[in-house]
Amino acid sequence: MRLSPLTALIAGLVFGFGLLVSGMANPAKVLAFLDLAGAWDPSLALVMAGAIAVGLVGFRVAAGRERTLTGAALTLPTRRDVDRRLVVGGLGFGIGWGLAGFCPGPALVALGAGQGGALVFTVAMLAGMGVFELLESRRGTTDA
Amino acid sequence: MTIAWDQFTPFTALAGGALIGLAATALILFNGRIAGISGIVGGLLRPTRGDTTWRLAFVAGLVLAPLLWSLFARLPDIRIEAGTPLLIVAGLLVGLSTRYGAGCTSGHGVCGLSRLSPRSLVATACFMATGFATVFVVRHVVGG
């Protein structure tokens, strides 16, 4: 039996619960965190802190392995260079995040919670990703 | 700066964050993959044989999390303040930029920082900066 879809499903569920418990699935709370000049809600800094505290241990364990616990290939990103795409992409993402208070994970969780606005955001996000694929494939053909 | 102490939820923030870190740890140790939502979703638009099922399973977990939650408890508040046009613009920007910059809050912010990746540190600094700036402009310059 292939375990990989099952473990991915469980990881997705736990990730989703984490977003719900932490309040990160609520765009109003995300915007309250990003609003330094208003009534600032620092909660989301602690979400990051909690996630990274556990992640530091998890990824330290992962870094010493070439195989997953079920024997599949385990590959960690190796790039260390900072290029223009990374910076421009990061800057653009922050603007979108600040406009609606949604980033990709919370949007999918809010979609599951039946929020119509999350559906609008998710469809637009998929369209944005589609535009990227289109630009990349064009780039690929001109490069070749 | 005014801190909204009545909105501050340190314990659920830390607990939810820890769940997110746990989910990211599970995905790397069992599936050998980084829990970056934009990358996982984006990869579905460029399907590769043998690389699709785990992505769909993880996304299903995120979407199903609130449904499973609501069987046992009342869902936490999810309040979307942005209207439809703003959600569309934000979604397009988030979709395009996260693929361009190879990551979002989960991939760079949680997993990347947990791996102490310099690329992710730069990306996170970029999207945090424009996230803060965007909310400032929307709420205190345009909306003020």
Side-chain angles (χ1 to χ4, degrees), chain A:
Chain A
M1 190 181 78
R2 282 183 63 228
L3 274 174
S4 111
L6 183 66
T7 53
L9 175 73
I10 293 170
L13 278 170
V14 174
F15 203 109
F17 290 144
L19 290 172
L20 284 166
V21 170
S22 64
M24 191 126 192
N26 180 7
K29 195 165 178 73
V30 172
L31 292 178
F33 168 71
L34 291 175
D35 190 6
L36 290 174
W40 189 51
D41 176 357
S43 306
L44 294 199
L46 294 181
V47 180
M48 293 298 285
I52 291 168
V54 175
L56 275 171
V57 180
F59 282 98
R60 171 146 300 194
V61 174
R65 306 181 59 97
E66 285 177 355
R67 298 263 148 206
T68 65
L69 294 172
T70 52
L74 187 157
T75 42
L76 288 165
T78 49
R79 283 185 68 178
R80 297 181 70 84
D81 61 306
V82 172
D83 60 349
R84 198 166 150 269
R85 289 166 70 105
L86 180 79
V87 172
V88 173
L91 293 172
F93 165 48
I95 297 174
W97 190 34
L99 283 178
F102 267 140
C103 50
L108 291 170
V109 171
L111 179 66
Q115 295 279 336
L119 178 63
V120 174
F121 179 91
T122 303
V123 170
M125 178 177 83
L126 289 171
M129 290 176 170
V131 170
F132 170 81
E133 293 297 337
L134 215 71
L135 293 174
E136 282 299 282
S137 63
R138 224 172 254 180
R139 214 170 96 109
T141 48
T142 47
D143 283 353

Side-chain angles (χ1 to χ4, degrees), chain B residues 49-127:
Chain B
R49 225 182 140 78
D51 192 47
T52 302
T53 317
W54 75 273
R55 293 174 191 271
L56 286 173
F58 185 87
V59 170
L62 280 176
V63 176
L64 291 175
L67 299 170
L68 192 60
W69 175 300
S70 63
L71 294 180
F72 301 98
R74 204 178 67 86
L75 273 177
D77 279 342
I78 297 179
R79 201 154 48 83
I80 303 172
E81 292 163 355
T84 301
L86 201 56
L87 285 167
I88 292 174
V89 174
L92 283 169
L93 252 175
V94 168
L96 183 62
S97 309
T98 51
R99 297 297 288 142
Y100 209 73
C104 59
T105 355
S106 49
H108 282 312
V110 174
C111 297
L113 293 189
S114 293
R115 294 189 302 110
L116 309 174
S117 151
R119 270 173 65 82
S120 292
L121 184 63
V122 170
T124 305
C126 287
F127 68 68

